Amino acid sequence: MSDWTPPHRLIPWISRIHVVLYKLTRGRVGGRVDGMPCILLRTTGRRSAKPHTVCLSYLPDGDSMVVVGSFGGADHHPAWYHNLVANPDVIVQDRERILPAVAETLTGDEREELWKARIAGAPRYARYQEGTDRAIPLVRLSYPTT
């Protein structure tokens, strides 16, 4: 697993390229980063109401996925996190599967348990948390049952 984190100003550009490659190849390129599986998360802009897509690694959690709003340890939450707080109905692309999901920020003991699991598999997240005063959010993406 790589220990390198890009400068904060480059993260949006790297993310845009990652999204394009993931979409073009249906996750064959960009479907894993540093050994972690990745998804595309499409949110609705809280101000623009336009769709925004980012590529994120995730931690499987039963029938759902947990993503981390780390933004490389920046002092502010990533835009996608603000978007899903304003509108928790999102779209997840996991390779070829595209599904609607509902986002929920985890809190309390549940967050702590999953945070320990995340940093066990990717210790960089612990360093990100140490470098910022904000609590880095963990977000569960659940698929509505029909």
Side-chain angles (χ1 to χ4, degrees):
M1 185 171 301
S2 172
D3 202 32
W4 180 76
T5 299
H8 297 141
R9 69 183 187 285
L10 293 182
I11 292 174
W13 295 102
I14 293 169
S15 181
R16 287 181 186 113
I17 293 167
H18 197 163
V19 167
V20 168
L21 291 173
Y22 193 111
K23 284 181 178 180
L24 286 173
T25 67
R26 294 185 178 155
R28 286 186 298 280
V29 175
R32 293 189 80 73
V33 172
D34 288 339
M36 296 182 289
C38 295
I39 57 166
L40 294 184
L41 176 67
R42 187 170 71 207
T43 61
T44 301
R46 68 188 183 283
R47 287 182 246 167
S48 69
K50 294 181 181 178
H52 295 277
T53 303
V54 294
C55 193
L56 301 169
S57 64
Y58 69 90
L59 180 68
D61 182 40
D63 292 336
S64 60
M65 302 172 170
V66 175
V67 294
V68 182
S70 67
F71 201 45
D75 287 331
H76 58 279
H77 295 313
W80 64 261
Y81 178 73
H82 293 291
N83 290 344
L84 66 76
V85 167
N87 182 357
D89 295 322
V90 298
I91 303 292
V92 172
Q93 180 174 347
D94 183 8
R95 300 198 179 256
E96 294 182 358
R97 293 182 331 147
I98 300 173
L99 300 166
V102 178
E104 169 195 13
T105 301
L106 301 176
T107 60
D109 292 341
E110 185 176 35
R111 183 207 179 273
E112 290 308 310
E113 180 181 325
L114 286 166
W115 179 255
K116 288 176 187 172
R118 178 74 284 179
I119 62 175
R124 89 177 89 193
Y125 290 110
R127 288 191 308 281
Y128 293 165
Q129 184 61 77
E130 290 167 5
T132 184
D133 291 333
R134 71 181 173 97
I136 293 177
L138 292 184
V139 178
R140 174 177 289 122
L141 305 172
S142 301
Y143 304 102
T145 55
T146 54

